[in-house]
Amino acid sequence: MENPIQHLNNSLSWAFINHQQESLDKYKPKLLVNNTETSNYVLTPLLEELDRCRSFIFSVAFITESGLATIKSHLADLKMRGITGKILTSNYLNFNQPKIYKELLKITNVEVRLTDLSGFHAKGYVFQHEGYSTIIMGSSNLTAAALKSNYEWNVKLTSFKDGGLLEQFQCEFENVWNKSVPLTDKWIDAYQILYEEVQKANRKAHTVLPLIPETAQTVFSSIFPNKMQQSALRNLQDLRKTGEHKGLVISATGTGKTYLSAFDVKNFAPNRMLFIVHREQILQKAMIDYQRIIGGKDSDYGLLSGTSRNTNAKYLFATIQTISKSSTLSDFDPESFDYILIDEVHKAGASSYLKIIDYFKPKFLLGMTATPERTDEFNIYELFDYNIAYEIRLQEALEEDMLCPFHYFGVVDFEHNGQTIDDTAMLSQLVANERVSYLIEKIEYYGYSGKAVKGLIFCSRKEEASQLSDMLNTRGYRTVALTGDDNQEIRTRCVIELEAGNLDYILTVDIFNEGIDIPCINQVVMLRQTQSSIVFVQQLGRGLRKHSDKEFVTIIDFIGNYKNNYLIPVALSGDKSQNKDNIRRHMKDSSYIKGVSTINFEEVARQQIFRSISNSNLTALKILREAYLQLKNRLNRIPLLIDFIENDSIDPLIFTDEHSSYYHFLQRIKETVSHLSELEQKYLVMLSTEVLNGKRRHEIILLELLFIKEQVSYEEYVNALNEKGCLTDAETIDSVKRVLDMTFFTEPTRKKYGDTPVIIFTQDQKFTFHPKMAHSLQNNSYFSESISDIIQTASRISEQYVCNEQLTLYKKYSRKDSCKLLNWNNDESSTMYGYKTKHQTCPIFVTYHKHEEVEASTNYQEEFINSEILKWSTRSRRTLESEEVKSIIESDSRKIDLHVFVKKDDAEGTEFYYLGKAHPDQDSAVQASMHDKNGESISVVHMNLILEHSIENKLYRYLTES
């Protein structure tokens, strides 16, 4: 076994002498840059080091609130573990705003000092670990832009405690640290005065005298379409050129849908236009926005709502409640308007909207929404003839910098008598003094961008909103509770008060989910469980509009013990796959979020979500049917499996896992499909189960070839594999044969699959479909299309697996998968248990957190010593002299490959993460005793397995956390 010094020597050789030198990733020097295409950011390794360090020191010239927000939740977790750090900064160039120093004082486990060193411009981060330290140094200050979006160069280095570079860095840090002054309130007050004087002087120096006399009345103002709007406008024009009269725009909240529609109306130049909304509150603003874009006389614009009835206006803005009244509708000729626009059109399934759509006959009808998905099976797409003119969702809008960046913080909700708030919590628990204090602690810690907080707090019920508002007011906050009981006039007045700075928070239940714009919102607090990913995004979206007074919006989500917590990562990522592993991955790695936005979970909250993912049934028939219908409505046909991938919908593998095949799912929901014979159905089940998952591309490539020609020679198949960069050894190809001719499988499995081969390998060395398979493909077009769909979908899925290795690092595999992909002659998974040696391979399966009720004789001591070493145990009643044990201890000399598979717990199902090959540390092998359920002493052998690849940090953290 190599020692850590040797690992580091190898990494230095890799970095500075020969990059072909084998070396553990953990110790390799790395260049850190921000690359949005690969979702690699300087922030990611910085947070990884921070999460597992024993202490840290930062030396940074500049710090912004957004930069500090990226690490706040991680610092809170470190505080819970008693870990402290130091930050050395300055007021160089008066860049740092006074507020950032106040934010730093909130973090009590970090000591901050300020240097007056002239030209202080250092950027370095040092993390102390057990026996070594990691250094990140380069161009990045502690700002969100430097850590996530700017083009930056930083180097990450590893050093043991006696390393010269580390000593130099620490000596230099301590030298400046000891000459620096501690950050205090008194220092901040003094700096505040200096900062304001400098800002005042700068404003005076940059004042430009007006070129136009003050008496001039002309106002020059122009608004141009942004990138999204330009693309959408082109699409709308093209749509109309093809003779279409309807169009649908799907656009995330805050991306400028109203301006877009105004630009399109300007292009269309209608004689009259009707703009319909569902809330009076946004009518006036929409009309003003149109005036800015289109211009014209004030008399051209009119409102139809309540007491306002300017029905003759050229551009009429109406609420659905008013215009849908029969007495109002009868005042209009059906052809009164050339152009009609419906905002928040996902509501158009209601009778009032359908009444309007059926009555009027415009030349063009435009619908706009951020969320076209509905749960009542009404087809919005059909309403607009399936003409999606443009679509941009949250992730794309963030990437295009169309929205205000956000920092999301998932924090654990208040504990009452040792129990976290859940959906059975009584009102008294929700508004207890202790919970209010806890709420204040969190909203103060995570803060907001700007001079004063302007927040929305979403509550779970009306009584909670009202009583919580009263309690916050007694604590010095200025808040008001608004519910559906409050009329429009009261709501509007409260919003104006919030915008003017006369209120700190509006507390509400659901009335502000949509249909209202308050761009100044800089903090959104969620005090209710997530019942719907759509509602979650709507509420988050209340703060995503850009505003000059904020750099970002803070989202604080109080996560209780709710069964629907799994919806949080679903909503944030936009993942609709219903695949638990995908959702877990979004929890482990949030690099999918674009721009300078970040997603952060406090540790306890993170674990609650993981539990929710494991305990939830995401594949219930009702859920799958709903997602299926949404895609069917969008496509206006029965979707193929490949459609689910191309439209980012359900993971197609779920249909196999839950219903044997997609065909059987369609039958289950009573969809009209063509008839398949019993054998044809079994062929579908076999290929859906064994090929669709794409874990080995070889079967897929052979089936693709056979779809093109009746016979494929051995040589042609090998050439095709070579073209795809796949393994072409005889053992792998023989394994492919055994899978497709079904000799690999057990007798019960063959019976399940029809016991009739998919392919046969002829005596003249050619592959061909079995005659029964070929007959069905030739004579049943639906069967042929279904098989083709499976192959095409499998090919797409297979892109995530490497084809020149038997197994792909960190992907998940079952015991049966390991038998198949390691080229065993037969499926021996039923007798594999924890491990089995065969064909010069030994797959080892470990359930890291075993169930409390597991029998003592199988409750082996298995744990990661670190990210490279797994302490592992053999089966019970084994000794150092047992042949199966000796074969593992001597695996290197016997040329037996050990493959390690680990899953967190049994809630993950039958699949395990593949952690790569391992080598036994022979010196660590020791025979020990354990007791069975009867108290009898039984022998077991422990040893350390050294992984060839250091486990990636996020997966290691996920697996090891309890």
Side-chain angles (χ1 to χ4, degrees), residues 75 87 139 228 241 354 393 409 452 465 590 614 631 670 684 788 829 908 912:
L75 294 176
I87 295 179
S139 62
M228 178 277 284
K241 284 178 183 177
L354 295 176
R393 300 288 182 136
F409 300 100
S590 61
S614 294
L631 185 56
K670 296 181 170 50
L684 279 184
S788 176
S829 56
E908 292 218 23
F912 298 69

Side-chain angles (χ1 to χ4, degrees), residues 641-642 645 652-653 687-688 690-697 699-701 703-704 787-801:
L641 286 170
I642 193 67
I645 292 180
L653 297 176
L687 293 175
S688 297
E690 304 298 339
V691 176
L692 183 61
N693 60 38
K695 292 179 181 179
R696 186 163 65 185
R697 203 172 302 175
E699 286 88 346
I700 303 166
I701 292 171
L703 292 169
E704 286 174 334
I787 298 297
S788 176
D789 184 28
I790 288 174
I791 296 169
Q792 185 182 2
T793 307
S795 181
R796 180 71 68 84
I797 294 172
S798 73
E799 293 171 3
Q800 60 189 287
Y801 296 90

Side-chain angles (χ1 to χ4, degrees), residues 117-136:
L117 195 63
S118 177
F120 181 77
H121 213 247
K123 299 120 180 171
Y125 307 81
V126 179
F127 306 90
Q128 289 89 17
H129 301 283
E130 181 71 28
Y132 72 97
S133 293
T134 303
I135 305 169
I136 295 176

Side-chain angles (χ1 to χ4, degrees), residues 18-33:
N18 183 0
H19 71 274
Q20 293 184 341
Q21 165 74 52
E22 289 191 5
S23 171
L24 286 177
D25 284 344
K26 174 180 177 180
Y27 297 105
K28 281 182 181 177
K30 288 184 179 134
L31 176 67
L32 307 180
V33 297

Side-chain angles (χ1 to χ4, degrees), residues 161-307:
K161 61 180 181 180
D162 295 326
L165 180 63
L166 177 63
E167 182 184 20
Q168 285 183 331
F169 193 99
Q170 290 176 326
C171 285
E172 185 61 27
F173 181 86
E174 290 299 325
N175 181 43
V176 181
W177 179 266
N178 291 332
K179 296 176 183 177
S180 302
V181 298
L183 178 64
T184 62
D185 287 320
K186 184 177 180 181
W187 186 94
I188 295 173
D189 291 341
Y191 178 68
Q192 178 88 40
I193 296 170
L194 172 65
Y195 182 83
E196 290 176 356
E197 289 176 352
V198 171
Q199 294 296 108
K200 184 177 179 181
N202 288 339
R203 286 194 297 271
K204 187 174 182 181
H206 289 88
T207 299
V208 180
L209 295 175
L211 298 176
I212 301 174
E214 292 184 11
T215 55
Q217 298 297 312
T218 305
V219 176
F220 296 97
S221 174
S222 58
I223 302 173
F224 299 97
N226 62 30
K227 186 177 178 181
M228 178 277 284
Q229 292 161 348
Q230 291 172 14
S231 181
L233 289 169
R234 285 193 297 270
N235 291 356
L236 284 165
Q237 290 275 44
D238 292 343
L239 192 65
R240 287 192 286 264
K241 284 178 183 177
T242 63
E244 296 292 344
H245 301 285
K246 296 178 182 179
L248 181 64
V249 169
I250 302 168
S251 182
T253 300
T255 51
K257 293 192 294 293
T258 304
Y259 274 1
L260 164 64
S261 65
F263 286 124
D264 194 54
V265 169
K266 185 177 182 179
N267 291 340
F268 191 92
N271 291 323
R272 293 192 71 192
M273 179 219 72
L274 175 63
F275 186 111
I276 301 174
V277 299
H278 72 289
R279 290 207 174 156
E280 184 179 349
Q281 197 161 353
I282 59 174
L283 267 189
Q284 190 77 37
K285 184 179 183 305
M287 188 171 75
I288 293 171
D289 288 343
Y290 264 62
Q291 286 180 295
R292 287 174 178 163
I293 302 298
I294 299 175
K297 299 177 291 185
D298 288 349
S299 58
D300 285 346
Y301 297 84
L303 299 178
L304 179 56
S305 176
T307 57

Side-chain angles (χ1 to χ4, degrees), residues 648-885:
D648 297 318
S649 186
I650 300 171
D651 180 354
L653 297 176
I654 287 175
F655 295 117
T656 301
D657 294 341
E658 298 297 319
H659 302 282
S660 299
S661 77
Y662 184 45
Y663 174 80
H664 290 88
F665 165 78
L666 295 176
Q667 283 193 317
R668 183 79 187 276
I669 63 170
K670 296 181 170 50
E671 185 65 89
T672 302
V673 290
S674 299
H675 173 73
L676 295 180
S677 70
E678 183 179 350
L679 179 58
E680 287 168 342
Q681 292 184 41
K682 289 186 175 182
Y683 273 138
L684 279 184
V685 172
M686 185 274 170
L687 293 175
S688 297
T689 306
E690 304 298 339
V691 176
L692 183 61
N693 60 38
K695 292 179 181 179
R696 186 163 65 185
R697 203 172 302 175
H698 295 66
E699 286 88 346
I700 303 166
I701 292 171
L702 179 55
L703 292 169
E704 286 174 334
L705 290 172
L706 289 171
F707 247 74
I708 297 171
K709 51 190 302 187
E710 290 184 10
Q711 290 187 332
V712 175
S713 71
Y714 190 96
E715 184 180 2
E716 287 175 316
Y717 180 41
V718 170
N719 289 339
L721 292 174
N722 278 322
E723 287 179 11
K724 300 288 187 180
C726 299
L727 295 172
T728 56
D729 58 285
E731 293 80 10
T732 299
I733 294 177
D734 194 47
S735 173
V736 173
K737 290 183 205 171
R738 289 196 303 276
V739 168
L740 292 178
D741 70 14
M742 300 198 199
T743 56
F744 168 78
F745 302 107
T746 61
E747 186 176 344
T749 302
R750 285 199 300 271
K751 186 175 181 182
K752 173 185 173 184
Y753 293 162
D755 215 4
T756 305
V758 176
I759 61 110
I760 55 176
F761 189 59
T762 64
Q763 289 184 343
D764 57 348
Q765 301 287 293
K766 291 183 178 179
F767 297 95
T768 183
F769 279 123
H770 186 278
K772 290 185 177 179
M773 177 77 168
H775 179 270
S776 289
L777 289 172
Q778 292 167 4
N779 293 282
N780 188 331
S781 60
Y782 179 71
F783 176 71
S784 180
E785 289 166 5
S786 298
I787 298 297
S788 176
D789 184 28
I790 288 174
I791 296 169
Q792 185 182 2
T793 307
S795 181
R796 180 71 68 84
I797 294 172
S798 73
E799 293 171 3
Q800 60 189 287
Y801 296 90
V802 295
C803 201
N804 60 353
E805 298 282 349
Q806 291 174 311
L807 299 156
T808 301
L809 204 60
Y810 307 135
K811 290 299 180 182
K812 297 189 80 173
Y813 300 92
S814 66
R815 290 179 173 86
K816 185 172 80 171
D817 290 333
S818 73
C819 293
K820 177 166 63 178
L821 301 178
L822 293 175
N823 299 330
W824 289 19
N825 290 331
N826 303 103
D827 174 13
E828 300 187 36
S829 56
S830 62
T831 58
M832 186 176 289
Y833 307 111
Y835 58 94
K836 191 168 190 175
T837 302
K838 202 152 193 177
H839 304 298
Q840 295 303 110
T841 62
C842 179
I844 296 172
F845 290 86
V846 174
T847 302
Y848 200 77
H849 298 280
K850 296 175 177 60
H851 196 279
E852 293 177 0
E853 298 175 3
V854 72
E855 188 175 317
S857 61
T858 57
N859 191 9
Y860 312 119
Q861 297 178 23
E862 294 169 322
E863 64 176 335
F864 287 110
I865 295 174
N866 54 44
S867 58
E868 293 100 27
I869 302 175
L870 172 66
K871 181 182 178 182
W872 177 73
S873 301
T874 65
R875 284 189 282 266
S876 61
R877 297 181 174 84
R878 302 299 187 271
T879 69
L880 288 168
E881 299 306 314
S882 300
E883 178 54 31
E884 72 176 53
V885 176

